[in-house]
Amino acid sequence: MKMEVRTRFAPSPTGYMHIGNLRTALYEYLIAKSQGGKFILRIEDTDQERLVEGATDVIYNTLRMTGLHHDEGPDIGGDYGPYVQSERMGMYMDYAKELVEKGQAYYCFCTKERLESLKESNAEGAAFAKYDRHCLHLSPEEVQAKLDAGVPYVIRQKMPDSGTTTFTDVVYGEITVDNAELDDQILMKADGFPTYNFANVVDDHLMCITHVVRGSEYLSSTPKYNLLYEAFGWEPPVYVHLPAVMRDAHHKLSKRHGDKSFEDLINEGYLVDAIVNYIALLGWSPGDTREIFTLKELEECFDISGLSKSPSIFDIKKLTWMNGEYMKNMDFEKFYALAEPKLTEALGGTGLDLRKIAELLQKRLETLNDIPGLVGFFKELPEYGTELYTHKKMKTNDEIALSSLKAALPVLEGLADWNTQSIHDALMALVGELGIKNGQLLWPVRTALSGEPTSPGGAMELADILGREESLRRIRVGIEMLEK
Ligand code: GLU
């Protein structure tokens, strides 16, 4: 029987969702879902110093918003709980002791002072010094005597004395390290709590995780993890290490250096679906040039072999382009639901038809946050200079604009019905009468109505939305300006 694929997202609640973390979650989700498996959420909250109020909510919200629904987790339970690491603290000591019994780990009673002096006496004064295995050589009686006397201890992993450790990573291939390089790392701390390096192995095993997907910064610890699996006689998981997401060729994306988190992107008007789509391609390729994928489509076509080990650069321009594509191709009602709050914020109380404005905007937006800047002129005619009336392609200049506006004014004043069609028909008839090019009339009218060098919508749409009174007023303003 084929084993069920189980992946886990194991975030530490830091208070924001780093793009790299979201990508890890997405790949974990996709690896599971593309193979009919389960995606598990485990909150790794044991680093008390890093704990932030409300930080787990950020995790839940992000997973909900992005549609990366987990099958097991702290909020929904499951057969392998608890799913919050701090609630599992009682589970590790027995496993550590099992390793001691197997000769794969040992008690260490060294004082802080002794360990410090080890560091200092380390030849080059390196910041990191391997533990010198002082306590490995204690006899069982000595150990027992110290335990009985209540001497504080840690439990260390006993690394092999010689040889090498090899494991295969799906992305990075076969990796071999010299065991001599491996430190006898601490598994259980003096306070009785496990180190992260121990807890994650025990947790992954107990939760039957088949694929461990994490950032490549964990690659160097993986030999030690692998040795732990071996020491217990457990089946190691498939390792999938992901290269860092980069800001540029040399720097990792980092929140501390101002790079955007998922929440930042949402606040900047990016769509969840576009972000997820973009992030999917940051290190994975479908094998062809296709770029637009819904999450559902990704679930169907994701394949672990498409992961790449070259670091990807987070390109906001590309995301912005993709976001625009999503907005263009979105069902109008869905788009309107997203745009409406921004439109109300910019134009609330003006009585303008926001749906009509949204229709004009949908094909031209890159992000929702572009909305206020694009629609401000509807509320108030901006101050503008008459140079806007000069447009080479439209073959207009001040003079032509003035005569066109003067001709358009009485025609529009006399219109019985005020709507896009009637305005269109009237202006086009006027173009014919005057024997000029369309642009020579429409550009000046559009400019007078918007006071902007470009606008969503042309003369007819703007006039329709602004209404008769306001449109006529703006055309008169234009005439006055051009007459000066
Ligand atoms: N809590 C770890 C982190 O947020 C998880 C690493 C892992 O996936 O094992 O970096």
Side-chain angles (χ1 to χ4, degrees):
M1 198 182 86
K2 210 170 158 250
M3 222 194 333
E4 178 180 58
V5 170
R6 290 174 57 87
T7 60
R8 88 299 191 273
F9 180 41
S12 304
T14 55
Y16 56 86
M17 186 63 68
H18 193 287
I19 292 301
N21 282 350
L22 182 56
R23 184 190 59 169
T24 303
L26 175 61
Y27 289 172
E28 282 156 349
Y29 174 87
L30 292 173
I31 288 171
K33 294 297 146 180
S34 60
Q35 300 177 74
K38 297 244 157 65
F39 172 60
I40 289 112
L41 173 64
R42 177 171 82 225
I43 305 276
E44 299 202 323
D45 61 344
T46 48
D47 189 348
Q48 298 295 331
E49 277 164 39
R50 283 168 70 199
L51 281 196
V52 182
E53 247 314 82
T56 41
D57 293 336
V58 172
I59 296 167
Y60 290 130
N61 287 340
T62 310
L63 294 182
R64 197 179 47 239
M65 284 171 77
T66 51
L68 304 182
H69 300 301
H70 48 288
D71 298 295
E72 297 166 26
D75 51 341
I76 52 175
D79 294 339
Y80 301 85
Y83 293 93
V84 177
Q85 207 166 46
S86 60
E87 292 169 18
R88 304 173 64 84
M89 286 299 126
M91 307 171 69
Y92 306 99
M93 189 52 102
D94 286 347
Y95 284 102
K97 288 188 175 158
E98 183 184 329
L99 287 186
V100 173
E101 274 157 32
K102 289 181 157 159
Q104 304 280 0
Y106 59 94
Y107 290 96
C108 168
F109 303 92
C110 288
T111 60
K112 233 198 206 131
E113 292 69 31
R114 181 169 187 280
L115 295 174
E116 282 300 318
S117 74
L118 264 188
K119 255 188 222 168
E120 279 157 28
S121 63
N122 185 41
E124 282 83 40
F128 172 76
K130 262 179 69 174
Y131 176 60
D132 66 352
R133 298 192 148 177
H134 181 75
C135 292
L136 176 61
H137 312 293
L138 295 175
S139 68
E141 296 72 29
E142 283 172 302
V143 169
Q144 198 52 54
K146 284 186 193 284
L147 290 176
D148 291 345
V151 180
Y153 65 86
V154 301
I155 296 180
R156 290 181 183 272
Q157 183 178 358
K158 182 185 171 300
M159 298 299 171
D161 300 312
S162 58
T164 58
T165 296
T166 298
F167 66 95
T168 304
D169 181 82
V170 166
V171 177
Y172 289 85
E174 193 173 280
I175 295 189
T176 298
V177 295
D178 252 325
N179 291 331
E181 283 171 21
L182 303 175
D183 184 34
D184 284 355
Q185 66 172 343
I186 295 176
L187 304 177
M188 295 300 293
K189 298 183 281 187
D191 58 11
F193 291 131
T195 55
Y196 173 74
N197 282 341
F198 188 48
N200 90 86
V201 169
V202 174
D203 289 345
D204 285 339
H205 169 72
L206 293 180
M207 293 184 175
C208 298
I209 301 303
T210 58
H211 294 63
V212 166
V213 186
R214 48 163 68 116
S216 59
E217 67 273 21
Y218 287 93
L219 211 43
S220 61
S221 301
T222 303
K224 298 183 201 175
Y225 300 155
N226 214 45
L227 285 165
L228 282 172
Y229 281 96
E230 279 176 21
F232 279 116
W234 296 340
E235 169 102 23
V238 176
Y239 295 109
V240 184
H241 286 88
L242 303 171
V245 181
M246 307 293 284
R247 178 194 322 150
D248 53 42
H250 306 290
H251 302 91
K252 282 190 189 182
L253 216 55
S254 120
K255 173 81 181 154
R256 212 153 24 97
H257 291 104
D259 290 313
K260 296 179 205 326
S261 64
F262 173 72
E263 301 81 73
D264 293 332
L265 292 174
I266 295 295
N267 290 335
E268 289 179 18
Y270 289 90
L271 302 174
V272 174
D273 293 352
I275 299 173
V276 170
N277 187 158
Y278 178 67
I279 286 181
L281 300 174
L282 275 178
W284 175 80
S285 142
D288 55 30
T289 53
R290 181 169 170 204
E291 291 190 300
I292 304 291
F293 295 90
T294 62
L295 184 59
K296 213 78 248 85
E297 288 166 341
L298 287 169
E299 284 172 34
E300 278 152 25
C301 69
F302 189 86
D303 191 291
I304 218 165
S305 65
L307 291 171
S308 157
K309 69 175 170 195
S310 35
S312 329
I313 295 180
F314 182 85
D315 179 0
I316 191 86
K317 283 205 206 90
K318 182 80 192 261
L319 170 61
T320 306
W321 166 80
M322 198 173 264
N323 203 63
E325 291 300 298
Y326 267 80
M327 281 200 283
K328 262 184 226 144
N329 297 315
M330 193 177 256
D331 169 69
F332 176 73
E333 291 306 325
K334 199 172 161 206
F335 172 73
Y336 186 64
L338 291 167
E340 200 264 346
K342 303 257 178 215
L343 285 168
T344 303
E345 201 181 308
L347 302 173
T350 56
L352 293 167
D353 187 334
L354 301 184
R355 290 180 68 90
K356 281 188 182 171
I357 296 177
E359 278 166 20
L360 295 183
L361 287 173
Q362 188 176 0
K363 305 278 177 220
R364 338 183 157 229
L365 285 186
E366 286 198 310
T367 75
L368 291 168
N369 280 10
D370 295 343
I371 292 178
L374 288 171
V375 302
F377 74 87
F378 280 112
K379 186 167 186 172
E380 200 174 342
L381 180 65
E383 288 201 17
Y384 65 96
T386 51
E387 71 280 355
L388 292 193
Y389 286 103
T390 299
H391 193 295
K392 222 167 157 194
K393 227 174 96 203
M394 300 294 173
K395 301 197 164 37
T396 70
N397 56 31
D398 286 15
E399 217 176 298
I400 295 169
L402 178 59
S403 76
S404 290
L405 290 183
K406 277 177 144 173
L409 185 62
V411 169
L412 294 175
E413 281 172 339
L415 259 193
D417 291 325
W418 191 270
N419 57 51
T420 315
Q421 191 60 49
S422 62
I423 298 163
H424 170 270
D425 294 348
L427 291 180
M428 293 319 282
L430 183 59
V431 163
E433 241 172 73
L434 296 174
I436 58 176
K437 302 231 174 267
N438 292 358
Q440 292 178 310
L441 178 67
L442 301 184
W443 184 262
V445 173
R446 189 213 63 79
T447 303
L449 293 176
S450 67
E452 296 278 8
T454 62
S455 54
M460 350 279 188
E461 290 92 356
L462 298 188
D464 172 50
I465 290 167
L466 287 166
R468 183 193 299 267
E469 289 314 311
E470 181 62 10
S471 297
L472 297 176
R473 185 187 77 78
R474 291 186 180 199
I475 291 173
R476 289 188 198 108
V477 170
I479 293 174
E480 222 170 277
M481 283 171 61
L482 288 162
E483 276 177 337
K484 274 192 192 146

